Amino acid sequence: MTSSSADRVVVAVCWLDREKSGDLPLPCYETDGAAGMDVCAALDADHLLHPGERALIPTGLAVAIPKGYEIQVRPRSGLAVRHGVTILNAPGTIDSDYRGEVKIALINLGRDPYLIKRGDRIAQLVVAPVAAATLRLQPKLEQTRRGDGGFGHTGVR
Ligand SMILES: O=c1ccn([C@H]2C[C@H](O)[C@@H](COP(=O)(O)OP(=O)(O)OP(=O)(O)O)O2)c(=O)[nH]1
Ligand SMILES: [Mg+2]
């Protein structure tokens, strides 16, 4: 099956300072079936992320996500596996009512410093539906086979 623009959720996006961000591309899907749009660092200067260091990296972008959706900020596996650089709060949550700059919280869990340059694709943005819940307080919950077993109680194999 092919997807058409009719299948797509429309997310309004705006450069906070177009003059400063003129050289940067909008986040985009790198392949037809990509789940996430890679987003670039809108740094003024290179940032050397030392082992154990975390940094909030600007994207230069603000978004207006339709109600009923969120954007998840997810790590790029290449950065994580090759350099230990990942998202501190993975997956980051961009709320549909947020109009500030989308920022990427990176952490270097690797052994070597990692240089983040302006325009580097540092994370991916996944647009996803969210269900809004109503909590119904009850004295007891319906029983299940699992019950309160968790945290590995089913074993490894
Ligand atoms: O990786 C992230 C995570 C969050 N945000 C922005 C958008 C999001 O809508 C807002 C709040 O995020 P979150 O709810 O995760 O943070 P909080 O600590 O609960 O802050 P708040 O009290 O503002 O909700 O911060 C980002 O730009 N990048
Ligand atoms: Mg919050």
Side-chain angles (χ1 to χ4, degrees), residues 11-18 26 59-64 99-101:
V11 176
V13 58
C14 166
W15 292 107
L16 293 167
D17 182 345
R18 190 55 189 141
L26 279 178
T59 65
L61 287 168
V63 292
R99 296 293 178 271
E101 183 173 13

Side-chain angles (χ1 to χ4, degrees), residues 26-38:
L26 279 178
C28 79
Y29 298 107
E30 289 293 320
T31 63
D32 286 349
M37 293 176 270
D38 288 353

Side-chain angles (χ1 to χ4, degrees), residues 59-82:
T59 65
L61 287 168
V63 292
I65 306 162
K67 205 158 182 254
Y69 293 86
E70 62 164 335
I71 287 179
Q72 298 175 1
V73 184
R74 299 203 199 156
R76 291 190 65 207
S77 62
L79 277 183
V81 169
R82 291 193 200 121

Side-chain angles (χ1 to χ4, degrees), residues 73 89 92-95 98 101-103 105:
V73 184
N89 56 326
T93 304
I94 311 297
D95 300 290
Y98 179 70
E101 183 173 13
V102 173
K103 294 185 180 174

Side-chain angles (χ1 to χ4, degrees), residues 29-64:
Y29 298 107
E30 289 293 320
T31 63
D32 286 349
M37 293 176 270
D38 288 353
V39 62
C40 296
L43 288 166
D44 290 333
D46 294 353
H47 184 112
L48 191 62
L49 195 64
H50 290 281
E53 192 195 341
R54 54 195 191 225
L56 200 52
I57 308 294
T59 65
L61 287 168
V63 292

Side-chain angles (χ1 to χ4, degrees), residues 5 48 87 123:
S5 58
L48 191 62
I87 306 278

